[in-house]
Amino acid sequence: MPAWRNISLWMDQLDDPLLARPSLEHDLDVNVAIIGAGYTGLWTAYYLKRQAPELKIAIIEAQTAGFGASGRNGGWLMGNLLGEDRLLAELAPQHRRASFDLLHGIPDEVAQVLAREGIDCDYRKGGALYCAARYPEQEVSLRRYLDKLYAQGLTEDDYRWLSPQQLAEQVRIAKPYGGIYAPHVATINPAKLVRGLARAVENLGVTIYENSPVTHWQSGGLRTAKASVRAAWVVPAVEGYANTLPPLGRYQLPVQSLIVATEPLPASTWADIGLSQGQAFGESSRQVTYGQRTADNRLVFGARGGYQFAGKLRHNFDLTDSEVELRRYLFGELFPQLKKARITHSWGGNLGMSRRFRPHMLCDHATGIALSGGYGGEGVGATHLGGRTLADLILGRDTLLTQQPWVIREGGLKALKAWEPEPCRWLGYNAIIRSFVHEDQVLANPNTAPWRRKLATGIAGFMEGFMH
Ligand SMILES: Cc1cc2nc3c(=O)[nH]c(=O)nc-3n(C[C@H](O)[C@H](O)[C@H](O)COP(=O)(O)OP(=O)(O)OC[C@H]3O[C@@H](n4cnc5c(N)ncnc54)[C@H](O)[C@@H]3O)c2cc1C
């Protein structure tokens, strides 16, 4: 059996024996065929089956439930979407508020399902702390971001500025310049969520086939090496693995994020650090960092990884020493007492980035194809929204969910923006990331001249502009 336990700290810690479910050995005729047993596929099946129990639904998974990003992520369950400020800017203020409420309500909606289905995934809704923690420019950019949110009608109930003293009530970092507190974020153990959801959908009558990579798919059905499936609806839910299902790779690039976990830390260390409510935290650089204190008192901390030429998937997540040490350096800057902490686990995964750098939830009744993706590293909560939305769209219901600006009902896949061909993608991605790393190095050095700091930020900001 593949070493699924090695996928992440989370999979390693499961009580679940991780036995493989049967693979697809015979042809099938179903109403809905879902490709991929991560959160997107499972949430879609869950909400379809809850509303239409008569539907015959099969999930066909290449490996095991949670093999992808859903069993590997940092466990931030956010009431947000990547790029939501740009998406919602187009709406009238009263609609915008309703959309923000819909998003901010995601963690509570998930909590209700967890209670109903008896899924224990160490859910704690302690909010998120976005910290200006390494150099003064972080305070400037966070304050600017907060102003932008307030200009969209959000208030202190949605996002609140914390002075260094207020921040210290929640987390003690070495160089606090302040931070933003967002209450609508929970932390979870990702693998417990995905494995629990898989059991919940099975209890509702959905069949999951494992070890069954889909080799071909189209409107009306799909094929694996051993069987064909005919289906009125086909739902590819493969996010970072879009390249395995052409032509989806044109619309979603696989990007890697890499993450480490320390051994469980003593109570005295946590008394110094804080994070006693299970708050998620990150430091606000363009490196995209994310951390949490786990239920068993480890520090889990991740940061943006890379992109491989031609969207090649990364399969080997035995991190190199330099990949581990970069993450240690970043969390050690926040918590110097952890610079020598033992790291017991390091891993990573592929996530999906859309060309517009924001998610899409697409449903085409003409072809019977529905998909949700492009979460870009903010998918734990977004997949829940995606699953609920796809269920309503497939069932032809007109609800608040189906009226959002990230929903695409016309044009099919062609309505998605395609990525530029190689080598443009690779060159572009690396130029952008290099500018971010350069900015971070320049700003983290207190001795760099002001003009160099301004120049580095200007270049990184300019490059970031290409992401929108
Ligand atoms: C290291 C890391 C940290 C992250 N941290 C966070 C975080 O803290 N908060 C957050 O909001 N988001 C985070 N994300 C993103 C989040 O985890 C994802 O957006 C989310 O899990 C996507 O779920 P999914 O079901 O769409 O895709 P996945 O979980 O990737 O599931 C796709 C499934 O499809 C299967 N599959 C692929 N190809 C085929 C095929 N041809 N046939 C059959 N099956 C196939 C795969 O095996 C996989 O099981 C992180 C991602 C990574 C990689």
Side-chain angles (χ1 to χ4, degrees):
M1 190 204 297
W4 291 329
R5 212 162 273 290
N6 298 338
I7 286 174
S8 64
L9 164 77
W10 318 112
M11 292 292 267
D12 190 25
Q13 288 184 324
L14 290 176
D15 287 337
D16 181 337
L18 292 180
L19 298 178
R21 294 175 170 85
S23 58
L24 183 63
E25 304 283 340
H26 52 274
D27 292 354
L28 279 183
D29 212 330
V30 293
N31 302 110
V32 185
I34 296 174
I35 310 172
Y39 302 139
T40 300
L42 294 166
W43 282 124
T44 305
Y46 182 78
Y47 282 101
L48 276 172
K49 223 30 190 170
R50 291 262 308 166
Q51 297 182 73
E54 70 284 1
L55 289 181
K56 207 168 159 201
I57 303 178
I59 302 182
I60 296 101
E61 162 59 47
Q63 297 255 350
T64 190
F67 176 80
S70 301
R72 303 165 184 258
N73 60 73
W76 282 44
L77 166 52
M78 305 160 74
N80 292 100
L81 289 185
L82 181 73
E84 74 192 26
D85 50 336
R86 283 175 286 127
L87 276 160
L88 298 180
E90 298 154 19
L91 297 181
Q94 71 276 21
H95 294 140
R96 199 185 297 147
R97 182 69 247 184
S99 298
F100 274 120
D101 288 342
L102 181 68
L103 296 179
H104 295 176
I106 291 172
D108 293 341
E109 290 282 341
V110 171
Q112 284 180 26
V113 181
L114 300 179
R116 185 161 60 227
E117 304 301 337
I119 300 172
D120 174 6
C121 64
D122 303 332
Y123 176 101
R124 287 168 299 169
K125 192 171 167 220
L129 298 162
Y130 300 91
C131 308
R134 292 196 292 130
Y135 37 83
E137 285 83 352
Q138 291 180 315
E139 179 184 347
V140 178
S141 70
L142 274 181
R143 282 190 185 273
R144 202 175 292 145
Y145 181 62
L146 194 59
D147 288 344
K148 201 167 149 193
L149 294 173
Y150 288 168
Q152 295 207 345
L154 295 177
T155 69
E156 287 217 323
D157 290 338
D158 304 298
Y159 293 92
R160 196 166 70 240
W161 181 257
L162 300 179
S163 67
Q165 296 73 23
Q166 290 166 323
L167 186 62
E169 288 165 19
Q170 302 206 52
V171 61
R172 266 76 68 193
I173 51 182
K175 288 180 267 175
Y177 295 94
I180 296 176
Y181 176 70
H184 48 266
V185 177
T187 50
I188 54 152
N189 175 318
K192 285 188 182 174
L193 174 60
V194 70
R195 304 291 296 184
L197 264 182
R199 284 191 297 274
V201 301
E202 285 176 317
N203 290 340
L204 291 175
V206 173
T207 311
I208 303 176
Y209 297 93
E210 295 192 335
N211 283 320
S212 306
V214 172
T215 52
H216 296 87
W217 77 290
Q218 62 188 61
S219 167
L222 56 86
R223 283 208 315 273
T224 66
K226 294 187 182 160
S228 299
V229 180
R230 283 188 352 153
W233 283 96
V234 181
V235 181
V238 296
E239 185 62 353
Y241 301 83
N243 267 355
T244 68
L245 298 178
L248 294 183
R250 276 187 216 157
Y251 307 107
Q252 242 161 247
L253 287 191
V255 174
Q256 288 83 44
S257 192
L258 309 178
I259 182 166
V260 297
T262 68
E263 62 187 336
L265 301 169
S268 55
T269 303
W270 285 115
D272 286 347
I273 291 175
L275 297 174
S276 61
Q277 308 302 315
Q279 298 95 322
F281 73 93
E283 55 86 34
S284 125
S285 70
R286 279 183 255 246
Q287 302 262 33
V288 185
T289 63
Y290 48 94
Q292 69 151 300
R293 171 182 175 177
T294 62
D296 66 340
N297 286 316
R298 298 164 189 267
L299 181 82
V300 162
F301 189 88
R304 191 201 295 275
Y307 166 73
Q308 307 203 106
F309 189 79
K312 207 166 144 245
L313 285 172
R314 179 167 171 177
H315 296 291
N316 177 0
F317 284 105
D318 293 335
L319 303 200
T320 63
D321 287 349
S322 65
E323 287 170 336
V324 171
E325 289 313 313
L326 171 62
R327 280 135 197 101
R328 181 195 289 283
Y329 161 76
L330 288 167
F331 74 65
E333 287 292 285
L334 272 57
F335 311 118
Q337 65 273 51
L338 299 189
K339 276 189 176 155
K340 294 213 159 65
R342 196 166 76 88
I343 289 176
T344 58
H345 294 74
S346 60
W347 69 97
N350 297 296
L351 54 92
M353 193 65 85
S354 77
R355 179 61 185 85
R356 293 195 169 96
F357 294 90
R358 58 198 202 196
H360 42 259
M361 294 164 198
L362 178 153
C363 181
D364 184 8
H365 278 261
T367 55
I369 290 171
L371 55 87
S372 170
Y375 313 114
E378 298 188 11
V380 179
T383 49
H384 175 261
L385 185 79
R388 275 197 295 163
T389 305
L390 290 193
D392 280 2
L393 287 166
I394 290 172
L395 296 173
R397 305 213 162 130
D398 197 15
T399 61
L400 182 64
L401 289 162
T402 65
Q403 291 161 9
Q404 298 304 317
W406 41 85
V407 170
I408 302 173
R409 297 166 196 247
E410 277 166 22
L413 291 181
K414 292 209 173 76
L416 300 174
K417 188 168 177 193
W419 280 93
E420 292 76 3
E422 293 290 17
C424 301
R425 295 176 193 179
W426 187 83
L427 289 171
Y429 181 86
N430 281 297
I432 292 171
I433 296 302
R434 270 173 189 250
S435 75
F436 291 177
V437 172
H438 174 255
E439 176 196 37
D440 200 57
Q441 286 167 344
V442 168
L443 299 184
N445 178 355
N447 300 321
T448 23
W451 70 267
R452 282 198 62 199
R453 303 177 81 87
K454 275 201 175 134
L455 184 64
T457 297
I459 293 170
F462 175 75
M463 297 303 277
E464 194 173 45
F466 287 104
M467 294 173 65
H468 303 319

